[in-house]
Amino acid sequence: DAKTTQPNSMESNEEEPVHLPCNHSTISGTDYIHWYRQLPSQGPEYVIHGLTSNVNNRMASLAIAEDRKSSTLILHRATLRDAAVYYCILRDSNSGYALNFGKGTSLLVTP
Amino acid sequence: KAGVTQTPRYLIKTRGQQVTLSCSPISGHRSVSWYQQTPGQGLQFLFEYFSETQRNKGNFPGRFSGRQFSNSRSEMNVSTLELGDSALYLCASSHSGTSGLDEQFFGPGTRLTVL
């Protein structure tokens, strides 16, 4: 399975942008980059996904490097509710597109 | 639209017993996946069911099994419980999961404690 590397933790001030990095140097051409987050005491929730191009939705933006070996999840204006563990996941056909969660990045948002 | 529901929410069992957990997916979703979350190992994929067939399986021993019914509801069973099976068991549903694009919707989980 293709693997991802994320920082263990990050901290941000409320109402500031947050850039959460993810390295996936062994990504293959057909791997999709997905981001999920897990708020305290809840199940994970989908944030965003992409293949090659940058993506935007109401929750966040996903910036994918040209060589696809890394990506960045961007929260444009962090709120206290965004404090969660963020998981960067590669979904590939070899693993049946299973969500193989790594350790993720624990994001702390301070007022 | 109702979300993914899991029952029971909490469960206490003793070593050697077996347990069955239930998951009702979002209406119209045909794929159900199960995950185990522990502080030590994090979130790990158990298996996925689609149209009553196991389509994908993670790296767990045969004591962990599941099934899916014609209405897409799913159950997972753990036999001969061990202390290490204490975990939060999460269920997620999606439309099909075939393209790698399908968003998975997670339930609140069942907290299993094995004494």
Side-chain angles (χ1 to χ4, degrees):
Chain A
D1 294 346
K3 296 289 187 279
T4 62
T5 305
Q6 298 177 253
N8 289 335
S9 62
M10 290 185 65
E11 192 169 335
S12 171
N13 294 320
E14 198 177 10
E15 298 187 8
E16 304 238 330
V18 182
H19 290 233
L20 296 162
C22 180
N23 286 322
H24 29 77
S25 57
T26 60
I27 191 171
S28 73
T30 55
D31 290 348
Y32 293 89
I33 303 163
H34 285 244
W35 284 81
Y36 278 73
R37 72 180 185 180
Q38 187 172 23
L39 279 63
S41 302
Q42 293 188 28
E45 66 175 350
Y46 168 84
V47 178
I48 200 166
H49 78 272
L51 184 61
T52 56
S53 306
N54 295 343
V55 185
N56 300 298
N57 67 19
R58 63 173 180 81
M59 285 181 71
S61 295
L62 176 60
I64 302 173
E66 204 169 319
D67 63 4
R68 300 210 325 129
K69 293 183 187 297
S70 65
S71 60
T72 302
L73 178 71
I74 303 164
L75 306 179
H76 295 287
R77 220 166 138 261
T79 68
L80 296 178
R81 196 197 169 273
D82 291 321
V85 179
Y86 286 79
Y87 297 96
C88 170
I89 303 163
L90 298 184
R91 299 185 74 179
D92 66 281
S93 58
N94 289 337
S95 65
Y97 296 112
L99 281 175
N100 289 306
F101 291 82
K103 301 291 185 188
T105 296
S106 179
L107 176 65
L108 175 67
V109 181
T110 52
Chain B
K1 211 180 212 184
V4 176
T5 57
Q6 294 186 243
T7 55
R9 293 292 313 278
Y10 301 91
L11 205 47
I12 299 175
K13 292 284 188 180
T14 56
R15 276 183 302 174
Q17 286 188 309
Q18 76 162 16
V19 67
T20 299
L21 312 181
S22 181
C23 172
S24 292
I26 290 171
S27 177
H29 285 189
R30 298 170 65 191
S31 168
V32 173
S33 298
W34 288 89
Y35 298 83
Q36 180 196 65
Q37 185 169 29
T38 60
Q41 299 298 318
L43 260 163
Q44 293 185 284
F45 170 70
L46 278 156
F47 31 66
E48 182 211 1
Y49 285 85
F50 178 76
S51 290
E52 303 178 65
T53 302
Q54 187 181 86
R55 186 164 66 173
N56 199 1
K57 189 177 186 307
N59 247 358
F60 277 81
R63 299 186 298 106
F64 292 82
S65 63
R67 60 178 175 166
Q68 187 181 34
F69 302 95
S70 58
N71 61 358
S72 294
R73 191 177 69 85
S74 177
E75 289 180 347
M76 69 161 279
N77 184 277
V78 187
S79 62
T80 320
L81 283 166
E82 300 175 0
L83 295 179
D85 296 333
S86 295
L88 180 67
Y89 290 88
L90 291 154
C91 160
S93 75
S94 66
H95 281 287
S96 69
T98 53
S99 67
L101 295 175
D102 283 11
E103 173 184 353
Q104 291 197 10
F105 295 83
F106 283 79
T110 293
R111 172 74 61 186
L112 171 66
T113 301
V114 182
L115 303 175

